[in-house]
Amino acid sequence: MSWMISTSSIDITPDKKIPLGANGFPQTPFQSVESTLEANILVIHRNPGWSVFVTFDLLYVGTTISTAIRNALEGIVPQDQIILAASHTHQAPAVDNDRPKLGQANTEYLSFVSNKVIDQIMYLLEDAPVIEVAAELFTVTTNLSVNR
């Protein structure tokens, strides 16, 4: 089986020192960046249409980012073909004010992430190089592991 795809990884690390969510210090801005936060995007080009998968280095995606992306893609990509997921890191900004105990979301950061991801998705849909990938399923028997 093969698919036509385009992919991208973009940096969504905050450019300002803001508090991180769910790390035990909801009011304290981070002091340094040990590793960047990413959004990884996969677009499967189907005939007709597309499927879009985005994974975020965030605790969760949150309604603001999800709604912004879904609204931007309305009429372009069917809603049931948009999959948004998070890595569940506790070293990223809070992204949803519906969960205040996990930290207060920064409006500028929400816009930054939403806009950057939307721009990249549109690039992948319209202008990015498309490559063909193939996958096959194989089954083998091994005695290297023990099920308990």
Side-chain angles (χ1 to χ4, degrees):
M1 175 177 277
S2 67
W3 300 274
M4 301 303 291
I5 67 164
S6 50
T7 66
S8 182
S9 181
I10 58 174
D11 186 344
I12 59 169
T13 306
D15 56 359
K16 297 178 182 169
K17 292 183 178 182
I18 59 176
L20 303 179
N23 70 345
F25 304 98
Q27 304 302 318
T28 306
F30 68 88
Q31 297 303 305
S32 63
V33 175
E34 186 174 309
S35 61
T36 59
L37 301 174
E38 296 178 348
N40 297 294
I41 307 165
L42 166 68
V43 173
I44 299 175
H45 298 259
R46 300 178 299 116
N47 191 8
W50 300 277
S51 297
V52 175
F53 299 81
V54 184
T55 60
F56 298 84
D57 283 338
L58 299 171
L59 183 62
Y60 46 85
V61 178
T63 55
T64 301
I65 293 172
S66 177
T67 300
I69 292 169
R70 290 180 180 284
N71 287 345
L73 297 178
E74 191 170 354
I76 301 169
V77 178
Q79 295 296 300
D80 66 347
Q81 296 299 310
I82 302 169
I83 307 296
L84 308 174
S87 63
H88 196 82
T89 181
H90 287 253
Q91 300 300 315
V95 292
D96 195 342
N97 285 327
D98 293 337
R99 296 174 178 93
K101 291 183 180 179
L102 297 178
Q104 194 68 27
N106 179 289
T107 305
E108 283 182 48
Y109 182 69
L110 295 175
S111 293
F112 165 75
V113 172
S114 298
N115 292 333
K116 198 164 185 181
V117 169
I118 290 165
D119 288 348
Q120 195 64 26
I121 291 171
M122 297 309 290
Y123 168 72
L124 293 173
L125 293 175
E126 298 171 354
D127 299 317
V130 177
I131 62 168
E132 183 174 7
V133 295
E136 295 182 38
L137 176 63
F138 295 95
T139 303
V140 297
T141 303
T142 180
N143 61 359
L144 297 176
S145 62
V146 177
N147 294 325
R148 297 177 191 199

